[in-house]
Amino acid sequence: MHCVDPKSSLSYGFLVPWIGKGLLILSGPKWFQHRRMLTPGFHYDVLKPYVKIISKCTTDMLDKWEKNITKQKTLELFQHVSLMTLDSIMKCAFSFESNCQKDSDNAYTNAVFDLSYLANLRLRHFPYHNDTLFYISPHGYRFRKACRISHDHTDKVIQQRKKSMKQENELEKIKQKRHLDFLDILLLARDENGQGLSDEDLRAEVDTFMFEGHDTTASAISWILYCMAKYPEHQQKCRKEIREILGDRQIMEWEDLSKIPYTTMCIKEGMRMYPPVPGVARSLRSPITFFDGRSVPAGTLIGLSIFGIHKNANVWENPEVYDPLRFSPENSANRHSHAFLPFAAGPRNCIGQNFAMNEIKVSVALTLNRFQLSPDLANPPKKIPQLVLKSLNGINIHIAKLK
Ligand code: HEM
């Protein structure tokens, strides 16, 4: 089961000083052991109560928008949505009240922005592959500073929980008070020898989930809302569907998630055109031969462009056209299972994909229920592939409050 191609140490190694050797980076038996240990953290019973939490986090974001409407003409989505997804991953996975949506300038999200920019810069700038050269450079200095901010943030979350667990001391008491969250699962996890996670492993997992759990979904939601702004006819259809199930309600419930098929198709088409994780890399364990006879030897570093796969004109007719009906059951039936890969595939696929889809559905539905979105034609986004897909000039739209 754990005989999968390892992550390329060149591309992922630059992330280690930041997110440590957590699930995203690990390979071999240790990855397998962690994956098995963490999978229960994404069980349906665990995810169910998160829908209300995410609804509340989205509502807090939308309330802020409503207040800002008169002050500013355009809204840069990514910064608002990042704070919302950070708020919700902290509340859901770590039961941590950060109030991060209250400050417009959050040290952790700013640090994540810097870290993903700098890790990507390092990968593309050959002299920076050398540790010493990188660390003595101004970029290396900024990277270390941002790492410290990020680690301080995660340490605070871990320490607070360890303290409260000591006080409560009994699992049953915790269970009665609230759902077992991801951090409980990490702290209570034991291997076959009864051994828990070391402090280093624990922090790596918290850092990994804190980052993976908010930056990716922020990218997904921002680009999907941008598509909604750009294609008003689809926006309107989604709104109609959403209002039919919500009625007078302002929050989404678990049962609603499966009742918005058109919106779900629009979400998928948004992720096809703007894949939040634009590519992955592997080091080949064994040689592969392609259908045309060409082959690549073992040990080769492979970069796989999810962005490119989603634009493959042999699979997607007119790939630059936004057409949610590509994802109707009829149109999807005969498509290759690996033609659409926002969450990758196989044993190293995204462990958080159900969490992510729920969060995207809730936030898109509640946003469209309350606001009319239109594009800022003077300032269209300029895509930049970092660890997640971002825009050089932000993702700007106009919003208007609906009755
Ligand atoms: C729209 C949102 C998301 C997208 C598009 C996405 C995409 C991906 C992709 C493409 C991978 C494979 C990476 C690789 O092979 O290098 C991955 C892995 C991973 N994702 Fe996500 N992800 C999302 C949300 C999340 C969330 C919400 C979490 C956690 C709560 C999460 C946690 C992880 C972890 C831990 C891995 C590594 C899994 C392993 O290797 O066993 N992701 N994700």
Side-chain angles (χ1 to χ4, degrees), residues 5-17:
D5 295 309
K7 300 279 171 95
S8 128
S9 58
L10 174 68
S11 336
Y12 293 82
F14 297 144
L15 300 177
V16 174

Side-chain angles (χ1 to χ4, degrees), residues 7 12 23-25 31 35 42 89 208-209 212-214 216-217 220 271 276-277 279-282 306 341-344 347-353 355-356 360:
K7 300 279 171 95
Y12 293 82
L23 203 59
L24 184 71
I25 309 270
W31 163 76
R35 177 96 188 193
F42 293 90
I89 194 72
T208 300
F209 280 82
E212 272 281 324
H214 95 277
T216 49
T217 45
M271 284 202 281
V277 176
V280 295
R282 293 290 185 275
I306 294 177
L341 286 179
F343 298 107
R348 300 254 9 201
N349 68 356
C350 176
I351 195 172
Q353 57 186 291
F355 176 97
I360 297 169

Side-chain angles (χ1 to χ4, degrees), residues 155-302:
D155 281 343
K156 205 160 110 191
V157 174
I158 296 172
Q159 291 318 325
Q160 195 191 78
R161 175 61 58 83
K162 278 191 167 168
K163 216 163 109 193
S164 80
M165 272 193 148
K166 241 187 228 146
Q167 280 161 1
E168 303 196 24
N169 218 5
E170 285 163 59
L171 186 59
E172 279 315 307
K173 277 194 201 156
I174 301 172
K175 274 191 187 161
Q176 277 165 17
K177 242 172 146 182
R178 55 170 171 75
H179 63 275
L180 266 197
D181 67 15
F182 178 73
L183 189 53
D184 295 317
I185 291 171
L186 283 176
L187 286 164
L188 297 167
R190 296 286 175 272
D191 64 15
E192 311 77 62
N193 309 317
Q195 196 66 37
L197 285 180
S198 69
D199 280 356
E200 196 186 341
D201 284 352
L202 180 69
R203 189 167 86 185
E205 292 305 355
V206 173
D207 272 318
T208 300
F209 280 82
M210 192 79 79
F211 158 64
E212 272 281 324
H214 95 277
D215 213 26
T216 49
T217 45
S219 169
I221 294 165
S222 304
W223 286 108
I224 291 161
L225 291 179
Y226 169 71
C227 291
M228 292 286 94
K230 208 168 159 197
Y231 306 105
E233 67 284 15
H234 297 299
Q235 181 185 155
Q236 195 44 39
K237 274 191 183 168
C238 291
R239 182 171 297 113
K240 187 166 175 286
E241 178 181 76
I242 291 156
R243 290 189 158 179
E244 267 164 24
I245 61 142
L246 281 185
D248 293 333
R249 277 186 291 134
Q250 295 286 333
I251 66 160
M252 289 278 280
E253 308 270 356
W254 173 263
E255 292 70 29
D256 298 328
L257 299 177
S258 54
K259 295 183 189 153
I260 46 169
Y262 195 79
T263 311
T264 306
M265 289 195 285
C266 289
I267 289 172
K268 289 186 179 167
E269 178 66 346
M271 284 202 281
R272 181 190 69 80
M273 290 194 60
Y274 300 97
V277 176
V280 295
R282 293 290 185 275
S283 175
L284 274 192
R285 180 182 281 271
S286 46
I288 48 171
T289 303
F290 294 107
F291 61 92
D292 61 0
R294 286 179 298 168
S295 63
V296 202
T300 309
L301 169 64
I302 299 281

Side-chain angles (χ1 to χ4, degrees), residues 91-125:
K91 286 190 173 129
C92 295
F94 307 113
S95 309
F96 189 86
E97 289 287 336
S98 67
N99 286 326
C100 68
Q101 290 208 70
K102 295 226 162 73
D103 10 305
S104 54
D105 198 32
N106 179 278
Y108 174 74
T109 48
N110 290 344
V112 167
F113 202 88
D114 260 11
L115 287 164
S116 55
Y117 166 76
L118 293 165
N120 191 56
L121 179 90
R122 187 173 180 195
L123 177 67
R124 285 159 202 268
H125 193 63

Side-chain angles (χ1 to χ4, degrees), residues 46-92:
V46 178
L47 296 185
K48 226 171 157 179
Y50 291 171
V51 174
K52 277 208 177 86
I53 302 178
I54 298 167
S55 270
K56 173 74 176 70
C57 293
T58 308
T59 304
D60 287 348
M61 176 180 78
L62 300 178
D63 289 346
K64 243 171 44 179
W65 290 9
E66 209 171 312
K67 275 192 210 133
N68 283 347
I69 275 182
T70 47
K71 289 187 208 140
Q72 58 195 60
K73 268 186 146 170
T74 58
L75 183 85
E76 198 287 300
L77 283 170
F78 208 100
Q79 51 166 331
H80 286 276
V81 178
S82 297
L83 286 177
M84 186 279 285
T85 54
L86 179 65
D87 193 16
S88 71
I89 194 72
M90 288 211 276
K91 286 190 173 129
C92 295

